[in-house]
Amino acid sequence: ISFRYSRNLANGDGLVFNAGERVEGYTNFLWTWLMSIPERLGWSTPGVSIVVTIALTLVGVRLALQLARKVFGDEWLSLITTAALVTNMSFLGYATSGLETMLQTTLLLGVAVILVPSRDDAEPSVAGRILAGVLAGAAVLTRLDSVVLVGAWFGVHAWWLWRKAGQPL
């Protein structure tokens, strides 16, 4: 479905399933828009999407390791956690699916790496918070259900800032 919308967008017909019929039937705006680029260039969109999801998986694994290090503060536990992710069949299935799932996962992991408090109590910079907001917005544009985790990450960050300021719960 997304590829058909992408093809029509690339051909100048707009984000439509059938030319001339204005019906929104995609749930992944950013991914659909991104996949219009290979369509416009005349490349194999399914092939490009698989390559992109594999690349996003590699970035996602790196971010997951970084998040585990932040949360656990222990190298071995972080490596074991990341190994568990990499050996998960669902994760591996989406890694080569050509679907928007890895884009969403990578963006959400990026938000978490920036906003989830670390053991050393380091506060994200203003630029980091802005980047977290941009990544969160991109995740929501990728799939609307990203709001759930984006809200959780921002909630954890707000709670941490509140505690750091010495405010009682």
Side-chain angles (χ1 to χ4, degrees):
I1 293 171
S2 299
F3 295 159
R4 179 137 174 195
Y5 276 91
S6 297
R7 182 180 329 118
N8 287 330
L9 179 62
N11 291 335
D13 295 322
L15 276 170
V16 295
F17 191 75
N18 295 318
E21 295 179 17
R22 300 278 176 208
V23 177
E24 184 179 334
Y26 56 88
T27 58
N28 49 7
F29 171 77
L30 185 58
W31 184 254
T32 301
W33 179 80
L34 286 172
M35 289 300 105
S36 72
I37 296 169
E39 280 289 340
R40 184 79 174 150
L41 297 172
W43 298 347
S44 167
T45 303
V48 168
S49 70
I50 290 170
V51 170
V52 169
T53 57
I54 290 170
L56 287 167
T57 300
L58 295 174
V59 173
V61 169
R62 175 67 177 101
L63 289 171
L65 177 60
Q66 193 173 346
L67 179 62
R69 285 176 175 153
K70 240 181 134 171
V71 170
F72 298 124
D74 178 85
E75 189 64 22
W76 282 108
L77 190 53
S78 300
L79 290 172
I80 290 168
T81 303
T82 306
L85 174 67
V86 171
T87 59
N88 180 284
M89 290 308 295
S90 294
F91 184 78
L92 292 176
Y94 283 112
T96 58
S97 68
L99 300 173
E100 76 280 356
T101 309
M102 279 301 137
L103 176 59
Q104 178 191 30
T105 301
T106 302
L107 292 168
L108 290 171
L109 281 167
V111 172
V113 165
I114 295 168
L115 293 184
V116 170
S118 63
R119 294 182 155 287
D120 66 3
D121 238 10
E123 190 171 330
S125 65
V126 172
R129 289 183 185 149
I130 291 170
L131 178 59
V134 169
L135 294 175
V140 171
L141 284 174
T142 301
R143 285 191 29 188
L144 190 56
D145 58 350
S146 297
V147 168
V148 175
L149 279 175
V150 165
W153 297 144
F154 278 92
V156 165
H157 185 67
W159 170 80
W160 178 77
L161 289 174
W162 184 270
R163 278 197 59 206
K164 189 173 179 188
Q167 300 296 324
L169 291 176

